Amino acid sequence: MTGFQRTIASLGGAAGLAAMVLAITDLGTSGIGLILGGILLAGVGLRHRTGVMPQARLDLAASLGGMVLLLSMLDGDMPAASWPLLIACWLVGWLAVEKSLAARDMSPTMSSIVSLAVPVFFGAWIIFVWEMLTVGLQVPTVLLPPPSMIAVRFAESTSILWADFQQTVIKAALSGYIIGCGSAFIIAILIDRVPFLQRGLLPVGNFISALPIVGIAPIMVMWFGFDWQSKAAVVVVMTFFPMLVNTVAGLQATQAMERDLLRTYASSYFQLLLKLRLPTAAPFIFNALKINSTLALIGAIVAEFFGTPIVGLGFRISTEVGRMNVDMVWAEIVVAALAGSLSYGLLSLLEKQVTFWHPSNRRKIQ
Amino acid sequence: MTSKTTRSKVIEAEKLGLTFDANDGPVHALKDVDLAIEKGDFVSFIGPSGCGKTTLLRVIADLEHPTAGSITVNGMTPEQARLERAYGYVFQAPALLAWRTIERNIGLPLEIMGLSAAEKADRVARTLELVGLDGFGRKFPWQLSGGMQQRASIARALAFDADLLLMDEPFGALDEIVRDHLNEQLLQLWKKTGKTICFVTHSIPEAVYLSNKIVVMSPRPGRVTDIIESDLPAERPLDIRESKRFLEIAQRVRTGLREGHSYE
Ligand SMILES: Nc1ncnc2c1ncn2[C@@H]1O[C@H](COP(=O)(O)OP(=O)(O)O)[C@@H](O)[C@H]1O
Ligand SMILES: [Mg+2]
């Protein structure tokens, strides 16, 4: 056990102790549950000073137990003892994660479970603390609604959310993304052999990338109308140049010796392209695809602020904010976040498959 | 050398010169190089680093263009020879593609030539065995040691199976034992196939052991100072390196190298 882990453990134990003492002095409002919770976390945290039963499982269980206890008594009037208990749960849970990450003699499946569980645990914690704070401290819902309220709104409005998702993510963002990335890829290959176009087009590209979306979006609405086509056009403009610049750079990343090698085989232009230059460019291209997946979503949503039919993530967000329906705004944000992380995750997965040979991915294959 | 007159010339260079325009003035990498290599020759190029060995090989391979003189390969310009796939080239570094397995790396030139899958598989298996890499075909280059990677790159050039083999310090990065083994293999391959081999090295014993012609070069400007014909028997066990004749030839190479140096 490292000194750092020991510090977290002691702090967690101390917080549990504080919760217990506070709960005893204020027995009327706290109830027996908080006392027991305080004792549990104090014991689990402070046991590390003695070295008995060091398993991470025990820490995790105590942390989760404390969380369940806190959730079960969650209302607008939390006793003072619940806050040190929340801190104790956080510290002891953190300790469990630290210990499992540091464990050396882990089977591969176990270690992949751990590496998957950590971000899930982390996300769950943020939602939990968010819920505790907004409900427990009675934060006005207009400022920040609790996750439970957003979840209810989400469940009640699935058909609206689905329609908005289709309009903004599938029609506008995805088609714009495919057209933007696809055409940039083809043009990058075409200008690769023409230094004049490379020198001329890349600075223009940087210039256009710097244009503010609030300027482009209204123009595109004038050109392509109110429906999703104008949003797709905004996405095309936003995604085109990152892809172009990255592909051009990737095509130039081959090494002189590798090019010479294919030259000695008298390989044709297309053979050189397919067998050497595109594989070398793949990491660059995936970089652009990942950046663009985020850009496309932002572009499609923001573009809807400048005129749209009455459907779409951006439209809904701007109108529901006006009506103070902040829970609906958050539900739309959840949709956008899910779509964004899902596409980014899929692209990363595909990237790992395609560029498995790249030094940054090699460790995984033996 | 009775058959000398009847053998055809594979490489002929006359007054060959190449000057690089570097930032700090011209670099005379090659100057007035006269060279004739006949079919079936095993020629070693030896000399201190920077004397233009790599440049000469690259000129033959049409990877570099001479700025003076003339050169033919198989009676053609180097470019025509390259387009006819007249030579296999082993670079100083392995230059294996990281996304291809060893097998598919060796198959790369065959793929580009458009050979059938069966022919390709056959040649890949044969050359893998020749360089002692059977069983490693499914590995990726970065899973092998540097020496194994270099052997894979030799296998790749052999699978190409051109009559002319250009090798730029192919064994420079290998340990002594592997090097001895590959030297023997290369000699056997040469005897069996009658290929013409141009072999760059900076090891005197290696040059004498392998070749029937040793081209001694010296730097600034890069030029040929001596061409030594070796009369060692075709059958060369490794211990020929202790024989009197071997040591005499080695001594002559050493003297040639030293004289080249004293020019400065
Ligand atoms: N592309 C190049 N540009 C400028 N100078 C070069 C280039 N390639 C080689 N040289 C120079 O030419 C000379 C001969 O190089 P090289 O043929 O690589 O020598 P060797 O292989 O015998 O060590 C060296 O002085 C080297 O610096
Ligand atoms: Mg060299």
Side-chain angles (χ1 to χ4, degrees), chain A residues 157-172:
Chain A
S157 341
T158 44
S159 63
I160 295 178
L161 292 171
W162 176 242
D164 291 346
F165 172 82
Q166 279 182 310
Q167 171 76 11
T168 306
V169 179
I170 305 291
K171 287 185 190 159

Side-chain angles (χ1 to χ4, degrees), chain A residues 66-147:
Chain A
M67 285 163 73
V68 170
L69 175 70
L70 285 171
L71 267 184
S72 70
M73 52 192 292
L74 180 61
D75 61 26
D77 187 24
M78 297 289 281
S82 43
W83 303 117
L85 192 68
L86 180 69
I87 293 171
C89 288
W90 166 238
L91 288 168
V92 171
W94 181 359
L95 179 66
V97 173
E98 280 285 336
K99 277 155 88 177
S100 0
L101 284 179
R104 250 170 256 114
D105 48 350
M106 241 190 307
S107 67
T109 41
M110 194 58 203
S111 79
S112 63
I113 288 174
V114 167
S115 69
L116 210 73
V118 171
V120 170
F121 186 72
F122 204 89
W125 244 102
I126 290 176
I127 292 173
F128 172 72
V129 172
W130 177 355
E131 182 81 24
M132 289 295 301
L133 293 181
T134 46
V135 177
L137 298 178
Q138 293 173 309
V139 176
T141 53
V142 187
L143 285 187
L144 188 63

Side-chain angles (χ1 to χ4, degrees), chain B residues 48 216-221 223 225 253-264:
Chain B
V216 182
M217 297 178 70
S218 85
R220 278 169 299 255
R223 64 202 182 282
T225 51
V253 175
R254 191 166 288 119
T255 312
L257 284 173
R258 217 174 276 142
E259 278 168 1
H261 258 294
S262 65
Y263 268 73
E264 294 179 64

Side-chain angles (χ1 to χ4, degrees), chain A residues 260 263 265 271 275 279 357, chain B residues 58 62 82 85 111-112:
Chain A
D260 283 344
R263 196 172 144 83
Y265 301 148
Q271 286 172 326
K275 293 186 194 299
W357 50 271
Chain B
R58 288 174 61 84
D62 187 39
R82 176 175 65 81
R85 300 187 170 119
E111 225 171 278
I112 288 174

Side-chain angles (χ1 to χ4, degrees), chain B residues 20-22 27-29 47-56 64 92 168-169 200:
Chain B
F20 288 110
D21 283 321
V27 179
H28 299 284
S49 70
C51 70
K53 306 182 294 291
T54 298
T55 306
L56 181 54
E64 217 73 78
Q92 220 163 335
D168 190 358
E169 295 191 36
V200 171

